[in-house]
Amino acid sequence: MSSMKAILTLLIIFVTLALHVPSARSQTQPSFAYYGLEPDIVTNFLGSSSKSLGFVRVTIELMIENADYLEAIDHHSPLLRATIIEILGRQPKDKVKSLTGREDFRRTSLERVRELMQRETGNPMIKDIIITKFLVQGG
């Protein structure tokens, strides 16, 4: 009978401990969200001479650190959009047409929009910028 009591006691202890151990589901997972800057950004860039301009069309998705920030991102989207257009418009032809130049543009844009959101809301909010389309014409 005492072995039965011992097994029952161990079972109760095991169940009690199992209820207090956090499971993988109960741990807080980041709830990333995505915000598309629409419509696509279309702007010009500096061509090979001062008389020639090229055009670029870019589709940008912002990766947001938390889905709760979507309303603030939406509110500030005109500022974010204008900042990205300004950065893109200052790029010379060789940077716009090269993969490394595009990556530099993405990184610079990410830094600037995070700084802006930090200044405006006290939180950078944006985890990453994803460029899903990058079309170049002329220049």
Side-chain angles (χ1 to χ4, degrees), residues 9-38:
T9 303
L10 287 174
L11 183 61
I12 291 172
I13 292 172
F14 176 73
V15 170
T16 304
L17 287 174
L19 292 175
H20 292 297
V21 175
S23 67
R25 287 184 193 167
S26 68
Q27 294 175 355
T28 55
Q29 295 290 329
S31 62
F32 295 117
Y34 295 90
Y35 183 88
L37 291 178
E38 292 185 6

Side-chain angles (χ1 to χ4, degrees), residues 68-85:
D68 296 338
Y69 300 155
L70 282 172
E71 188 175 334
I73 296 293
D74 187 51
H75 178 74
H76 293 288
S77 66
L79 176 63
L80 300 174
R81 183 180 185 82
T83 301
I84 291 171
I85 290 171

Side-chain angles (χ1 to χ4, degrees), residues 10-120:
L10 287 174
L11 183 61
I12 291 172
I13 292 172
F14 176 73
V15 170
T16 304
L17 287 174
L19 292 175
H20 292 297
V21 175
S23 67
R25 287 184 193 167
S26 68
Q27 294 175 355
T28 55
Q29 295 290 329
S31 62
F32 295 117
Y34 295 90
Y35 183 88
L37 291 178
E38 292 185 6
D40 289 356
I41 293 174
V42 178
T43 190
N44 53 7
F45 63 90
L46 302 173
S48 52
S49 71
S50 62
K51 293 181 181 182
S52 70
L53 288 177
F55 294 91
V56 63
R57 179 178 183 169
V58 182
T59 303
I60 293 182
E61 301 284 330
L62 303 175
M63 183 179 187
I64 312 303
E65 292 177 353
N66 189 317
D68 296 338
Y69 300 155
L70 282 172
E71 188 175 334
I73 296 293
D74 187 51
H75 178 74
H76 293 288
S77 66
L79 176 63
L80 300 174
R81 183 180 185 82
T83 301
I84 291 171
I85 290 171
E86 178 188 340
I87 294 168
L88 189 55
R90 284 189 274 134
Q91 302 301 308
K93 173 185 171 181
D94 59 330
K95 281 204 152 201
V96 171
K97 291 191 172 187
S98 75
L99 291 176
T100 56
R102 291 177 191 182
E103 179 59 19
D104 288 345
F105 157 71
R106 190 193 68 76
R107 274 194 239 127
T108 301
S109 296
L110 177 61
E111 289 172 16
R112 288 285 295 132
V113 297
R114 286 178 56 87
E115 288 169 7
L116 285 171
M117 291 307 292
Q118 179 69 42
R119 187 180 73 216
E120 295 296 319

